[in-house]
Amino acid sequence: MSSPVLPASLQRKLSSIAVAQVLSTLLLLVPALYVTPAQADTPTKSYQIAPGPLKQALNQFGRDAQVMISFSSELTAGLTSPGLNDNVSLQDGLGKLLQGTGLEAVEQANGGFLLRKAANPSHTSSTLEEVTVKASKDATSENTGSYTTSATAAATKLPLSLRHTPQSVSVITRSRMDDQNLTQLQDVLEQTVGISVVQSGYVGANWNTFQSRGFTISNYLVDGVPMRNGFELMTSDMSFYDRLEIVRGATGLMQGVGSPAGSINFVRKKPTRDFQASVTGQLGSWDNYRGMLDISTPLNEDGSVRGRVVAVKQDSGSYIERFGLQREMLYGIVEADISPDTLFTAGLEYQNHETHDSPEAGLPLVFSNGAHTQWKRSKNPGAEWAYSENEKLGFFTSLEHSFANQWRGKIQFNHSRNRYDSMIGAGGSGSLNAVTGSGVTLWGGRWQAKPVQNAVDISARGPFTFAGREHELVVGVNYSYTDYKAPNYRIWDFIPVSNYYNWNGAVRNPDIPVTGHNDFMERQLGAYLTARFKPTDQWAILAGGRVIHWHRSTDTYGVNGSYAHAGRAETGVFTPYLATTYDLNSQASLYASYTKIFSPQTSMDVNGNYLDPLEGHSYEAGIKHELYGGRLNTSLAVFRVEQDNEAVRDGTRLAPNGGAAYTAEKGTLSRGFEAEINGEVAPGWQVGGGYTFRISQKANGDKIQTVTPQNLFKLFTSYRLPGEWNKLVLGGGVNWQSRIYTNDTGPAAQRFTQGSYAVVNLMARYQWNDHFYTALNLNNLFDKTYYTNTGANMGFYGTPRNAMLTFNYQF
């Protein structure tokens, strides 16, 4: 008798449940990997640490003892240590190092130590008493060595721990970025759980998009201030930032207008009260050279005024022949303590990115006979005259004040001016003859713009009492305004290539005349409020919402005197937000959240009309763990997004502006689950990564967004070796994804599939002394060949095996 066969849909559901169960079990078993000092003997060790700056002495002690010592640079500023030359225990050694400093080290649940001001500064005993303290809410990740952070306000505007934030949030810290050499926004998002990079151009092309849960991320913030013109951030270098906070799921409370994909918050580096400086030099594959200078220093005697400067220069080739890029960047910030309760901040940033022989499109995927093409990954589909120039000059300032009633108010302002100029000569459209190499047509065009953006956010947060219990409230208003005047060029100039096989970019440079210009304007005014009620010590309810007024208009003027206006406005749109968390114990919390989706769209149909705004509902629930005093965070979430007017490519048809045409799909559904782990699983062992399953469908059940994988797994880990080898850190990771595909590809309208694949990366770092280290990153270890995108009849190869060698000297 044959065994019964389950329906395929039921098999998939059972498989997903099984995977989720296994992942959640593994996350719950993580504590078993850790052995705390209380479970082992307390050994002694010989230390030779010379007298000198306290920060330097503590860093050396931590490396020698293989223990985490957490402290802020401000706490140790100007302090010196008598040093240590003795055979002692951890507690006694720390006590001797801290003698006369007025500080003490408190042992934490994770086996590390937290530095704080001593409760009794006159106490001189080298043996520390065990004290219970609350975890710090300072989320700065620099100099922590950690792959996680203590708090984030990215989802709710309230500074909550990751465990008590009722949405999926990934924080890519400064240590993680340095370990993996993640210097660009795209580098970071390629390593972020649940994020897919949809490549539509190469480095510097600015056409790439980032997707979460089947939707394109369009919400960008800097230090929590919404920036509506997210395009300016898509080439952002990471040298200016302490960390990136990526929220997956709808963020209507923070943004008002935005997709259900999530948001990306760039958190800038801040000055330190004590002097610190570093020089970094890098050289890598394909003549990739990069240098960075980072200096932070007090500007007066007591450090109440302090500044920081970061300068970067990069000149790089590419695995793609002829293609090259240059970057020049400068960042400066000043902080001033106007009073003990008032902080003023101001700064400037400048970025310039230039490319030449720019391949702003992919390679043909199929021949005219339906067979698949096979290209060298080094082939450049760009013309020799194609280039891209992106320049940004920004100014920012803020004023923050702490009131006596524990309330805090903050005013933030961001201003940016951008300049874009791209000459486009790339593509592989047409029908490629497999024998002669003829039939390919390049797309020639030009795009210029000089957008200016202003954004301001005014907020206040603090406690309030209701029904005999203390709760939290945040209230605020923000406004953003973007405008630019841009010349219109004829779109497109089609340039035939006689033989695509041996083509080297030499093709006529088309004369692309100006046909007129556009005046673009967008503004948004929003008011928001969130209350975090605490009915019990274990239970919290977050309720709030946002009201927005939004307007966008485009006026088009032709050289022949023609005029056209396109505009859209929404007034008084309310976006509700509701969430709850419940503490199962001191380490685990359940959560659930709901928000409404509303997002006006820039996608056009074939007639040049903007699609109706995205509307829908986003639901999420899960369990989070905060282990070892917050040094390790895990989460398991399920999500469901119901949406109308999802933009879906209208085949290969184009809109009047030359871009892809879209249709609005009603009743789309995206659902799935995610598991994530970030932080320290054992002393010296950091880990970050997770698994995502996501499926997106039309109302009739057909799949959409198939150019991003249903299954996505990312993991990276690093480990500082113990004992005599503790100057060496080794790390490695793997990114795996399931297949992606595109239907109706080529003249035969066939399906083109990129099968599942994995990319392995390695790193090693050696600390020669207290000031100098070298590091080596090796990416795509097994030189896997794969396409990152299969849409629009063009393919984009992933980067081949490459290496980067880093030299860093810290003063």
Side-chain angles (χ1 to χ4, degrees):
M1 184 175 183
S2 61
S3 300
V5 178
L6 296 175
S9 60
L10 182 58
Q11 291 182 36
R12 288 194 296 269
K13 290 181 180 179
L14 291 175
S15 298
S16 300
I17 294 172
V19 171
Q21 182 62 46
V22 170
L23 286 168
S24 61
T25 302
L26 288 174
L27 293 177
L28 291 171
L29 289 177
V30 164
L33 298 173
Y34 192 93
V35 180
T36 66
Q39 297 170 299
D41 294 334
T42 304
T44 62
K45 185 175 181 178
S46 180
Y47 300 92
Q48 292 83 38
I49 300 175
L54 179 59
K55 177 181 177 181
Q56 180 177 322
L58 289 171
N59 287 336
Q60 183 179 343
F61 184 84
R63 289 193 297 271
D64 293 346
Q66 275 294 278
V67 67
M68 282 286 183
I69 305 173
S70 300
F71 59 91
S72 67
S73 297
E74 288 82 356
L75 193 62
T76 60
L79 298 179
T80 60
S81 170
L84 179 62
N85 190 357
D86 201 354
N87 191 299
V88 292
S89 66
L90 281 176
Q91 290 86 348
D92 289 345
L94 276 170
K96 291 185 176 184
L97 285 176
L98 295 173
Q99 282 181 355
T101 64
L103 304 177
E104 64 181 1
V106 182
E107 189 172 0
Q108 302 295 287
N110 66 346
F113 290 83
L114 177 69
L115 213 63
R116 69 173 189 178
K117 291 184 178 180
N120 181 8
S122 63
H123 180 66
T124 58
S125 170
S126 62
T127 302
L128 299 175
E129 299 176 2
E130 188 170 337
V131 182
T132 301
V133 297
K134 291 184 178 180
S136 170
K137 287 296 184 182
D138 182 7
T140 301
S141 70
E142 188 178 24
N143 297 323
T144 65
S146 177
Y147 286 6
T148 190
T149 187
S150 61
T152 179
T156 64
K157 202 69 174 183
L158 288 168
L160 303 174
S161 66
L162 292 176
R163 176 163 72 103
H164 289 126
T165 299
Q167 281 188 255
S168 294
V169 183
S170 295
V171 180
I172 306 299
T173 64
R174 186 71 258 168
S175 296
R176 175 83 182 272
M177 287 189 278
D178 290 343
D179 282 355
Q180 289 194 259
N181 188 40
L182 309 178
T183 63
Q184 305 302 309
L185 175 61
Q186 180 168 325
D187 298 337
V188 173
L189 297 181
E190 285 175 346
Q191 302 300 323
T192 303
V193 172
I195 304 298
S196 296
V197 177
V198 181
Q199 190 165 345
S200 300
Y202 291 93
V203 177
N206 302 319
W207 305 118
N208 297 346
T209 59
F210 312 116
Q211 289 205 358
S212 169
R213 300 182 176 179
F215 307 100
T216 298
I217 296 175
S218 58
N219 296 344
Y220 295 85
L221 305 92
V222 181
D223 286 339
V225 180
M227 304 292 286
R228 282 298 301 143
N229 185 16
F231 182 85
E232 69 179 272
L233 299 170
M234 292 176 64
T235 55
S236 282
D237 194 276
M238 294 296 100
S239 56
F240 300 167
Y241 304 105
D242 174 77
R243 63 192 181 277
L244 255 66
E245 300 173 332
I246 301 100
V247 179
R248 296 185 298 279
T251 55
L253 180 64
M254 295 291 291
Q255 295 275 153
V257 171
S259 81
S263 65
I264 300 170
N265 183 33
F266 297 75
V267 183
R268 295 185 178 104
K269 289 180 176 178
K270 302 297 191 294
T272 55
R273 289 184 181 271
D274 60 331
F275 176 80
Q276 67 175 42
S278 65
V279 177
T280 305
Q282 295 182 296
L283 57 96
S285 302
W286 311 300
D287 298 320
N288 188 354
Y289 303 100
R290 179 181 170 97
M292 180 175 74
L293 176 65
D294 188 341
I295 302 174
S296 183
T297 182
L299 300 177
N300 61 356
E301 187 174 349
D302 63 0
S304 60
V305 181
R306 50 207 173 268
R308 187 166 189 168
V309 174
V310 180
V312 180
K313 171 70 174 178
Q314 182 173 354
D315 194 332
S316 176
S318 171
Y319 69 95
I320 302 169
E321 60 189 7
R322 298 184 284 110
F323 177 51
L325 63 92
Q326 294 81 39
R327 293 189 175 100
E328 296 175 341
M329 290 154 284
L330 182 65
Y331 169 73
I333 180 173
V334 174
E335 284 186 344
D337 299 323
I338 298 176
S339 74
D341 299 315
T342 306
L343 174 66
F344 173 77
T345 302
L348 290 167
E349 62 176 277
Y350 172 79
Q351 294 194 49
N352 185 51
H353 305 254
E354 297 183 6
T355 69
H356 61 81
D357 296 77
S358 302
E360 300 198 18
L363 296 162
L365 289 173
V366 294
F367 291 111
S368 57
N369 60 11
H372 290 182
T373 58
Q374 295 290 332
W375 306 105
K376 291 183 178 180
R377 286 176 289 181
S378 60
K379 186 171 182 62
N380 187 341
E384 60 183 2
W385 38 260
Y387 66 85
S388 177
E389 297 178 357
N390 302 324
E391 187 177 38
K392 173 185 175 182
L393 178 63
F395 167 77
F396 59 92
T397 186
S398 67
L399 184 67
E400 185 173 5
H401 181 76
S402 297
F403 298 92
N405 60 0
Q406 300 183 54
W407 272 73
R408 301 179 71 179
K410 191 171 186 179
I411 301 174
Q412 297 171 268
F413 174 74
N414 285 340
H415 170 81
S416 65
R417 292 178 175 272
N418 300 269
R419 180 183 64 86
Y420 307 117
D421 185 2
S422 293
M423 190 68 180
I424 303 167
S429 64
S431 183
L432 177 61
N433 188 292
V435 178
T436 66
S438 62
V440 170
T441 300
L442 256 63
W443 295 40
R446 190 173 184 181
W447 182 69
Q448 283 183 316
K450 295 181 179 180
V452 176
Q453 180 170 216
N454 294 306
V456 63
D457 182 271
I458 304 172
S459 64
R461 60 179 171 86
F464 70 97
T465 301
F466 175 72
R469 295 188 61 85
E470 187 174 278
H471 315 278
E472 294 176 273
L473 179 70
V474 60
V475 60
V477 60
N478 50 37
Y479 174 79
S480 65
Y481 179 86
T482 302
D483 75 85
Y484 62 80
K485 292 179 172 59
N488 285 336
Y489 292 91
R490 187 181 65 212
I491 298 291
W492 291 91
D493 196 318
F494 298 101
I495 310 165
V497 176
S498 58
N499 188 336
Y500 200 71
Y501 288 134
N502 57 20
W503 179 62
N504 61 0
V507 69
R508 68 175 177 87
N509 190 340
D511 178 22
I512 303 177
V514 174
T515 60
H517 72 272
N518 282 339
D519 287 355
F520 173 87
M521 182 278 296
E522 182 181 61
R523 62 174 179 262
Q524 179 186 170
L525 174 65
Y528 56 88
L529 179 148
T530 305
R532 185 172 185 258
F533 297 97
K534 292 280 291 182
T536 69
D537 289 344
Q538 295 78 29
W539 184 26
I541 300 173
L542 288 89
R546 180 183 178 95
V547 177
I548 65 166
H549 302 278
W550 169 86
H551 177 66
R552 176 194 292 148
S553 67
T554 302
D555 294 306
T556 302
Y557 301 88
V559 292
N560 58 0
S562 62
Y563 169 77
H565 173 81
R568 191 154 199 157
E570 301 288 345
T571 301
V573 177
F574 178 66
T575 304
Y577 181 85
L578 183 64
T580 184
T581 63
Y582 184 80
D583 294 343
L584 298 175
N585 52 43
S586 61
Q587 296 179 326
S589 299
L590 297 172
Y591 77 92
S593 63
Y594 161 80
T595 188
K596 184 181 176 182
I597 299 164
F598 174 82
S599 178
Q601 304 195 72
T602 58
S603 300
M604 291 184 174
D605 61 20
V606 293
N607 299 316
N609 299 315
Y610 289 116
L611 301 186
D612 290 336
L614 292 168
E615 295 187 87
H617 308 274
S618 177
Y619 309 87
E620 182 176 333
I623 182 171
K624 295 187 177 185
H625 285 78
E626 181 183 76
L627 307 170
Y628 321 134
R631 298 293 292 175
L632 180 67
N633 287 278
T634 70
S635 67
L636 179 67
V638 294
F639 60 86
R640 180 184 178 92
V641 181
E642 302 167 354
Q643 186 166 270
D644 285 331
N645 303 325
E646 167 70 4
V648 178
R649 279 292 303 270
D650 189 3
T652 59
R653 304 173 76 181
L654 299 178
N657 65 357
Y662 292 84
T663 60
E665 185 68 35
K666 300 284 187 179
T668 61
L669 173 65
S670 183
R671 64 189 189 278
F673 65 87
E674 296 173 330
E676 185 171 12
I677 180 171
N678 290 288
E680 184 185 41
V681 297
W685 183 10
Q686 296 288 333
V687 63
Y691 169 77
T692 302
F693 171 81
R694 183 272 317 166
I695 185 169
S696 301
Q697 295 172 298
K698 298 180 181 180
N700 63 5
D702 291 345
K703 292 181 181 179
I704 57 175
Q705 302 297 1
T706 59
V707 293
T708 56
Q710 283 191 186
N711 300 273
L712 193 58
F713 175 79
K714 302 179 181 183
L715 182 68
F716 185 83
T717 182
S718 65
Y719 180 66
R720 181 181 293 278
L721 274 61
E724 298 298 324
W725 288 92
N726 68 349
K727 293 184 178 181
L728 179 63
V729 176
L730 298 176
V734 60
N735 285 10
W736 173 87
Q737 68 173 53
S738 58
R739 66 169 185 161
I740 59 175
Y741 64 88
T742 302
N743 292 323
D744 301 324
T745 301
Q750 65 197 84
R751 172 180 291 186
F752 189 93
T753 300
Q754 166 62 58
S756 61
Y757 63 88
V759 175
V760 177
N761 306 315
L762 297 178
M763 67 80 64
R765 182 176 69 250
Y766 190 80
Q767 189 81 40
W768 298 94
N769 54 45
D770 291 337
H771 301 284
F772 182 66
Y773 74 77
T774 57
L776 176 66
N777 290 87
L778 183 61
N779 301 317
N780 196 356
L781 176 66
F782 301 109
D783 201 23
K784 179 68 178 179
T785 300
Y786 59 94
Y787 285 113
T788 61
N789 190 3
T790 59
N793 295 332
M794 293 184 290
F796 298 83
Y797 281 117
T799 306
R801 180 169 51 227
N802 64 95
M804 177 67 79
L805 184 62
T806 300
F807 303 90
N808 177 273
Y809 187 88
Q810 297 178 328
F811 297 90

